[in-house]
Amino acid sequence: MTPKERMRRALTYESVDRLPTQINYTAAAGRKMADHFNVALEDLPRMLGNHMVRLDLAFPEHLSEDGRIKYDWWGAGFDTGEEGYFPGVNPLAGERDLDSFDWPNPDVAGLLDEAARRLADWGQEFFIVPNFGFALFERAWSLRGFEQFLMDLALDPEYAAELLDLIADIQLRLIGRYLELGIDGAYFGDDYGAQKGMLISPAMWRQLIKPRLARLFAPFRERGMLILMHSDGQIQPILPDLVEIGLTALNPVQPEVLDHRWLQANFGRQLAFYGGISTQTVLPNGTSAEVREAVANCARDLAPDGVGLLVAPSHRLMSDIPVANVEALLEAFRGL
């Protein structure tokens, strides 16, 4: 069974020879693991036993003059000295005029050239998805600033809705181009929760985010494709909504936040799951034995029938995770 076949079957609750696995990582963690395992960086995903390959846009790198800020395709700036994903430069922070903003062009030539090359190299064997991280809510606040966009949502929802619509329109044009390449499904990232609750009320999410997220899901849903979504934190109140608009697999199912047995009891067969091994506690701080136990518990609680789960760390591995625990993770994966 190829990784592509195993992914499709496991996440649609069809029988598989074993559960699929995935390990994503930051650039620094990737270099650390490649050095430790003595493999080329480009061969690391195969060595780790990954089943999914995510495709990204190709565009000229843009750094600040001092090299401390790296700008993404949308113009949000990230600190090059950090391993995380919190944008420190928000291009719409002091500008409300959406018409005069220099929006990125989703139709520009060359934007998907690297994606097409990776698809040609990996697509026969692996499950291929476009990476729509910072898909909607996160994209809006990356442009406006986190606090400012929360204020927009509360005090000027019409403006917030206009911004979200412009973002969705661009994402949909990119989705159309990715579909023409021949991808296998969708991967979105949009965090709605903190450790103890949602960042905005469920009612506000349903009014302003849900209908636009449904627009992004629709092209994949219409084609019967799998839709995977990363959304951190305690988002329990909106899980039925995500099922309603077509979500196939929920990531990262953080064990500190969403109880795995509760998830399986309430959403098994409605949702598949992706993740489950904590990058907050056990992977950076646990022993090798605790890592192996965490993998076993995750598979037992989220996939009691041996299906419905892509076993993985709950987020990208960062360089603070000991390589001994990566070895323990791989050992546990082989025992699934």
Side-chain angles (χ1 to χ4, degrees):
M1 193 173 288
T2 66
K4 185 195 293 280
E5 293 168 335
R6 192 176 293 115
M7 271 280 291
R8 284 175 170 162
R9 292 181 64 87
L11 296 188
T12 54
Y13 283 87
E14 298 180 60
S15 62
V16 288
D17 53 350
R18 62 179 175 86
L19 286 170
T21 60
Q22 183 79 11
I23 298 177
N24 300 321
Y25 43 85
T26 64
R31 291 190 296 269
K32 180 178 176 180
M33 288 190 292
D35 288 344
H36 176 77
F37 292 111
N38 194 29
V39 298
L41 193 59
E42 58 268 26
D43 295 329
L44 187 58
R46 192 184 298 273
M47 177 262 155
L48 294 173
N50 283 358
H51 283 61
M52 178 171 64
V53 173
R54 299 192 303 201
L55 305 179
D56 290 298
L57 302 177
F59 57 95
E61 184 177 83
H62 179 200
L63 296 171
S64 62
E65 289 186 6
D66 60 9
R68 296 180 60 182
I69 299 295
K70 182 177 181 178
Y71 295 91
D72 70 9
W73 184 67
W74 297 76
F78 295 77
D79 189 333
T80 56
E82 294 184 358
E83 244 183 303
Y85 308 95
F86 195 89
V89 177
N90 313 110
L92 275 172
E95 176 57 67
R96 288 180 53 86
D97 186 357
L98 299 178
D99 291 331
S100 65
F101 183 64
D102 186 18
W103 293 99
N105 180 4
D107 302 313
V108 69
L111 196 59
L112 270 63
D113 284 358
E114 176 63 16
R117 185 192 67 78
R118 284 177 62 79
L119 183 62
D121 290 344
W122 296 79
Q124 288 295 111
E125 186 177 358
F126 294 90
F127 190 83
I128 310 294
V129 293
N131 181 12
F132 284 98
F134 278 68
L136 191 59
F137 171 69
E138 286 186 309
R139 178 51 59 198
W141 72 249
S142 77
L143 297 175
R144 283 286 282 162
F146 184 67
E147 292 182 2
Q148 182 57 61
F149 187 63
L150 292 183
M151 294 293 288
D152 295 336
L153 289 169
L155 301 179
D156 195 350
E158 290 186 4
Y159 172 82
E162 183 182 358
L163 174 57
L164 290 166
D165 281 335
L166 287 166
I167 292 166
D169 289 344
I170 291 174
Q171 300 286 43
L172 281 166
R173 285 157 71 186
L174 291 174
I175 286 169
R177 293 187 67 182
Y178 274 117
L179 287 168
E180 289 176 0
L181 288 183
I183 54 173
D184 297 309
Y187 175 87
F188 293 96
D190 217 25
D191 290 346
Y192 308 124
Q195 197 86 350
K196 299 296 184 181
M198 290 189 61
L199 296 170
I200 60 177
S201 73
M204 181 179 285
W205 182 87
R206 291 183 181 111
Q207 176 188 355
L208 289 166
I209 306 299
K210 179 181 176 180
R212 294 163 177 89
L213 188 63
R215 286 181 63 205
L216 300 187
F217 283 8
F220 302 100
R221 191 178 188 183
E222 291 163 1
R223 290 165 174 79
M225 290 181 163
L226 275 61
I227 302 170
L228 291 73
M229 183 171 185
H230 170 94
S231 193
D232 276 334
Q234 178 48 268
I235 60 168
Q236 185 173 317
I238 62 168
L239 291 181
D241 300 89
L242 291 170
V243 172
E244 177 191 333
I245 63 174
L247 182 63
T248 306
L250 175 69
N251 172 263
V253 288
Q254 296 166 265
E256 302 88 0
V257 178
L258 293 173
D259 180 81
H260 287 176
R261 292 186 180 183
W262 179 90
L263 281 170
Q264 176 55 224
N266 287 274
F267 291 96
R269 302 278 169 175
Q270 295 181 71
L271 268 179
F273 306 104
Y274 162 27
I277 314 302
S278 176
T279 55
Q280 180 177 334
T281 54
V282 67
L283 282 171
N285 302 314
T287 64
S288 294
E290 288 169 335
V291 170
R292 291 191 292 269
E293 182 182 16
V295 173
N297 291 343
C298 176
R300 178 198 66 206
D301 294 341
L302 286 174
D305 299 324
V307 289
L309 175 65
L310 171 59
V311 190
S314 58
H315 215 295
R316 292 188 183 187
L317 297 190
M318 299 180 75
S319 58
D320 63 333
I321 293 174
V323 289
N325 282 354
V326 179
E327 291 177 333
L329 188 64
L330 293 173
E331 180 185 344
F333 282 179
R334 289 191 289 269
L336 291 172

